[in-house]
Short mmCIF file of all heavy atoms in Angstrom, two decimals:
data_model
loop_
_atom_site.label_atom_id
_atom_site.label_comp_id
_atom_site.label_asym_id
_atom_site.label_seq_id
_atom_site.Cartn_x
_atom_site.Cartn_y
_atom_site.Cartn_z
N THR A 590 108.88 101.86 110.55
CA THR A 590 109.21 100.64 109.86
C THR A 590 110.67 100.50 109.36
O THR A 590 111.10 99.38 109.01
CB THR A 590 108.19 100.42 108.73
OG1 THR A 590 108.35 101.46 107.68
CG2 THR A 590 106.82 100.24 109.11
N ALA A 591 111.42 101.61 109.32
CA ALA A 591 112.74 101.59 108.80
C ALA A 591 113.73 101.15 109.97
O ALA A 591 113.53 101.51 111.01
CB ALA A 591 113.08 102.85 108.29
N GLN A 592 114.72 100.44 109.53
CA GLN A 592 115.65 100.04 110.44
C GLN A 592 116.75 101.07 110.62
O GLN A 592 117.48 101.12 111.58
CB GLN A 592 116.39 98.69 110.05
CG GLN A 592 115.39 97.61 110.20
CD GLN A 592 116.02 96.17 109.71
OE1 GLN A 592 116.53 96.14 108.72
NE2 GLN A 592 116.18 95.34 110.65
N ILE A 593 116.90 102.07 109.62
CA ILE A 593 117.79 103.21 109.65
C ILE A 593 116.96 104.36 110.14
O ILE A 593 115.93 104.66 109.63
CB ILE A 593 118.40 103.52 108.29
CG1 ILE A 593 118.96 102.23 107.57
CG2 ILE A 593 119.37 104.63 108.37
CD1 ILE A 593 120.28 101.80 108.29
N ARG A 594 117.51 104.97 111.28
CA ARG A 594 116.80 106.12 111.87
C ARG A 594 117.66 107.31 112.08
O ARG A 594 118.81 107.13 112.62
CB ARG A 594 116.14 105.74 113.18
CG ARG A 594 114.98 104.61 113.00
CD ARG A 594 114.96 103.63 114.23
NE ARG A 594 114.11 102.57 113.97
CZ ARG A 594 112.91 102.42 114.52
NH1 ARG A 594 112.42 103.30 115.29
NH2 ARG A 594 112.24 101.32 114.10
N LEU A 595 117.22 108.39 111.51
CA LEU A 595 117.89 109.61 111.79
C LEU A 595 117.27 110.41 112.90
O LEU A 595 116.07 110.82 112.81
CB LEU A 595 117.91 110.54 110.53
CG LEU A 595 118.25 109.88 109.24
CD1 LEU A 595 118.30 110.93 108.02
CD2 LEU A 595 119.68 109.35 109.32
N LEU A 596 117.94 110.65 114.06
CA LEU A 596 117.38 111.16 115.26
C LEU A 596 117.96 112.54 115.42
O LEU A 596 119.11 112.77 115.48
CB LEU A 596 117.73 110.26 116.49
CG LEU A 596 117.31 110.93 117.75
CD1 LEU A 596 115.76 111.13 117.92
CD2 LEU A 596 117.79 109.92 118.96
N TYR A 597 116.96 113.60 115.50
CA TYR A 597 117.48 115.05 115.88
C TYR A 597 116.79 115.31 117.27
O TYR A 597 115.66 115.24 117.41
CB TYR A 597 116.73 115.91 114.79
CG TYR A 597 117.11 117.35 115.17
CD1 TYR A 597 118.22 117.95 114.82
CD2 TYR A 597 116.12 118.20 115.73
CE1 TYR A 597 118.58 119.35 115.15
CE2 TYR A 597 116.43 119.64 116.05
CZ TYR A 597 117.64 120.06 115.75
OH TYR A 597 117.94 121.32 116.03
N CYS A 598 117.77 115.59 118.18
CA CYS A 598 117.35 115.95 119.57
C CYS A 598 118.65 116.52 120.29
O CYS A 598 119.59 116.60 119.77
CB CYS A 598 116.91 114.65 120.21
SG CYS A 598 118.25 113.38 120.36
N SER A 599 118.30 116.87 121.53
CA SER A 599 119.24 117.39 122.35
C SER A 599 119.94 116.10 123.03
O SER A 599 119.49 115.04 123.04
CB SER A 599 118.76 118.28 123.50
OG SER A 599 118.02 117.46 124.41
N ARG A 600 121.14 116.36 123.70
CA ARG A 600 121.76 115.28 124.34
C ARG A 600 120.96 114.63 125.52
O ARG A 600 120.95 113.42 125.54
CB ARG A 600 123.14 115.87 124.87
CG ARG A 600 123.92 114.78 125.43
CD ARG A 600 125.26 115.37 126.02
NE ARG A 600 126.34 114.34 126.29
CZ ARG A 600 126.31 113.36 127.12
NH1 ARG A 600 125.23 113.30 127.98
NH2 ARG A 600 127.23 112.54 127.20
N ASP A 601 120.32 115.54 126.30
CA ASP A 601 119.46 114.97 127.34
C ASP A 601 118.29 114.29 126.81
O ASP A 601 117.93 113.05 127.28
CB ASP A 601 119.00 116.00 128.26
CG ASP A 601 120.08 116.67 129.09
OD1 ASP A 601 121.08 116.10 129.29
OD2 ASP A 601 119.88 117.84 129.50
N GLU A 602 117.75 114.68 125.79
CA GLU A 602 116.63 114.00 125.12
C GLU A 602 117.04 112.61 124.46
O GLU A 602 116.34 111.65 124.50
CB GLU A 602 115.96 114.87 123.99
CG GLU A 602 115.18 116.04 124.60
CD GLU A 602 114.76 117.02 123.50
OE1 GLU A 602 115.38 117.10 122.41
OE2 GLU A 602 113.68 117.69 123.66
N ALA A 603 118.38 112.56 123.92
CA ALA A 603 118.85 111.36 123.39
C ALA A 603 118.89 110.23 124.43
O ALA A 603 118.48 109.15 123.99
CB ALA A 603 120.24 111.63 122.82
N GLU A 604 119.19 110.62 125.62
CA GLU A 604 119.21 109.56 126.70
C GLU A 604 117.78 108.98 126.84
O GLU A 604 117.64 107.78 126.98
CB GLU A 604 119.86 110.16 128.05
CG GLU A 604 121.25 110.50 127.87
CD GLU A 604 121.76 111.01 129.13
OE1 GLU A 604 121.16 110.90 130.21
OE2 GLU A 604 122.87 111.68 129.11
N ALA A 605 116.80 109.85 126.90
CA ALA A 605 115.40 109.38 127.14
C ALA A 605 114.90 108.48 125.88
O ALA A 605 114.20 107.54 126.03
CB ALA A 605 114.50 110.54 127.32
N VAL A 606 115.34 109.13 124.61
CA VAL A 606 114.90 108.40 123.51
C VAL A 606 115.52 106.98 123.33
O VAL A 606 114.86 105.95 123.05
CB VAL A 606 115.18 109.21 122.22
CG1 VAL A 606 114.92 108.34 120.92
CG2 VAL A 606 114.35 110.40 122.12
N PHE A 607 116.71 106.92 123.55
CA PHE A 607 117.46 105.66 123.67
C PHE A 607 117.02 104.71 124.67
O PHE A 607 117.03 103.44 124.40
CB PHE A 607 118.92 105.74 123.62
CG PHE A 607 119.53 106.08 122.26
CD1 PHE A 607 120.18 107.27 122.07
CD2 PHE A 607 119.36 105.23 121.12
CE1 PHE A 607 120.61 107.67 120.78
CE2 PHE A 607 119.78 105.54 119.83
CZ PHE A 607 120.45 106.80 119.65
N ARG A 608 116.64 105.13 125.87
CA ARG A 608 116.07 104.35 126.92
C ARG A 608 114.85 103.70 126.40
O ARG A 608 114.58 102.43 126.56
CB ARG A 608 115.88 105.13 128.14
CG ARG A 608 115.43 104.43 129.45
CD ARG A 608 115.55 105.23 130.66
NE ARG A 608 115.16 106.56 130.54
CZ ARG A 608 116.06 107.63 130.63
NH1 ARG A 608 117.49 107.38 130.60
NH2 ARG A 608 115.73 108.84 130.45
N ALA A 609 113.86 104.56 125.81
CA ALA A 609 112.60 104.06 125.28
C ALA A 609 112.84 103.05 124.18
O ALA A 609 112.09 102.02 123.98
CB ALA A 609 111.75 105.17 124.77
N ALA A 610 113.85 103.33 123.27
CA ALA A 610 114.09 102.43 122.00
C ALA A 610 114.58 101.07 122.60
O ALA A 610 114.20 100.09 122.16
CB ALA A 610 115.04 103.18 121.17
N ARG A 611 115.50 101.20 123.63
CA ARG A 611 115.94 99.87 124.18
C ARG A 611 114.90 99.09 124.75
O ARG A 611 114.75 97.87 124.58
CB ARG A 611 117.03 100.26 125.28
CG ARG A 611 117.67 98.91 125.73
CD ARG A 611 118.47 99.27 127.14
NE ARG A 611 117.44 99.77 128.05
CZ ARG A 611 117.63 100.74 129.04
NH1 ARG A 611 118.92 101.22 129.12
NH2 ARG A 611 116.68 101.12 129.87
N ASP A 612 113.91 99.74 125.51
CA ASP A 612 112.89 99.00 126.17
C ASP A 612 111.89 98.44 125.04
O ASP A 612 111.22 97.53 125.30
CB ASP A 612 112.00 100.02 127.12
CG ASP A 612 112.80 100.44 128.35
OD1 ASP A 612 113.98 99.83 128.58
OD2 ASP A 612 112.42 101.36 129.06
N ALA A 613 111.79 99.13 123.94
CA ALA A 613 110.96 98.63 122.82
C ALA A 613 111.65 97.73 122.01
O ALA A 613 111.09 97.09 121.03
CB ALA A 613 110.54 99.88 121.94
N GLY A 614 112.87 97.33 122.24
CA GLY A 614 113.66 96.35 121.46
C GLY A 614 114.17 96.87 120.10
O GLY A 614 114.24 96.05 119.25
N LEU A 615 114.46 98.22 120.10
CA LEU A 615 114.83 98.77 118.80
C LEU A 615 116.26 99.24 118.74
O LEU A 615 116.66 100.16 117.90
CB LEU A 615 113.90 99.92 118.52
CG LEU A 615 112.37 99.57 118.45
CD1 LEU A 615 111.58 100.85 118.42
CD2 LEU A 615 112.07 98.77 117.28
N THR A 616 117.11 98.62 119.58
CA THR A 616 118.56 99.07 119.63
C THR A 616 119.54 97.94 119.44
O THR A 616 120.70 98.21 119.42
CB THR A 616 118.91 99.76 121.03
OG1 THR A 616 118.60 98.89 122.04
CG2 THR A 616 118.14 101.08 121.05
N GLY A 617 118.96 96.77 119.08
CA GLY A 617 119.81 95.68 118.90
C GLY A 617 120.33 95.50 117.49
O GLY A 617 120.32 96.51 116.74
N PRO A 618 120.87 94.39 117.18
CA PRO A 618 121.35 94.04 115.85
C PRO A 618 120.19 94.39 114.87
O PRO A 618 119.08 94.06 115.06
CB PRO A 618 121.68 92.61 115.85
CG PRO A 618 122.07 92.42 117.28
CD PRO A 618 121.05 93.19 118.06
N GLY A 619 120.66 95.00 113.69
CA GLY A 619 119.66 95.34 112.67
C GLY A 619 119.12 96.67 112.72
O GLY A 619 118.31 97.13 111.73
N TYR A 620 119.28 97.46 113.80
CA TYR A 620 118.87 98.86 113.89
C TYR A 620 120.02 99.78 113.96
O TYR A 620 121.04 99.56 114.69
CB TYR A 620 118.04 99.06 115.27
CG TYR A 620 116.77 98.31 115.19
CD1 TYR A 620 116.58 97.12 115.85
CD2 TYR A 620 115.71 98.75 114.58
CE1 TYR A 620 115.45 96.34 115.72
CE2 TYR A 620 114.50 97.98 114.49
CZ TYR A 620 114.40 96.93 115.07
OH TYR A 620 113.16 96.22 115.02
N ILE A 621 120.02 100.76 113.06
CA ILE A 621 121.16 101.76 112.97
C ILE A 621 120.49 103.08 113.25
O ILE A 621 119.55 103.60 112.50
CB ILE A 621 121.70 101.64 111.67
CG1 ILE A 621 122.33 100.27 111.35
CG2 ILE A 621 122.85 102.69 111.50
CD1 ILE A 621 122.82 99.99 109.99
N TRP A 622 121.09 103.80 114.15
CA TRP A 622 120.61 105.17 114.55
C TRP A 622 121.82 106.19 114.34
O TRP A 622 122.90 105.83 114.72
CB TRP A 622 120.33 105.18 116.07
CG TRP A 622 119.11 104.34 116.59
CD1 TRP A 622 119.08 103.13 116.64
CD2 TRP A 622 117.88 104.95 116.84
NE1 TRP A 622 117.77 102.81 117.14
CE2 TRP A 622 117.10 103.93 117.22
CE3 TRP A 622 117.33 106.27 116.93
CZ2 TRP A 622 115.69 104.02 117.64
CZ3 TRP A 622 116.05 106.43 117.21
CH2 TRP A 622 115.24 105.32 117.63
#
């Protein structure tokens, strides 16, 4: 539920997480990672 997200992962995992976040609509304005 938070718009601020602290992500702990490897570089390769970051690509997969951000791909999923983008597909879920969680990377646009209002979301801070």
Side-chain angles (χ1 to χ4, degrees):
T590 59
Q592 292 179 300
I593 308 291
R594 294 152 190 247
L595 309 180
L596 173 62
Y597 177 80
C598 64
S599 71
R600 188 181 195 292
D601 293 337
E602 290 171 332
E604 294 181 16
V606 171
F607 280 118
R608 189 170 32 256
R611 183 196 60 217
D612 293 346
L615 302 171
T616 58
Y620 292 98
I621 299 170
W622 291 79

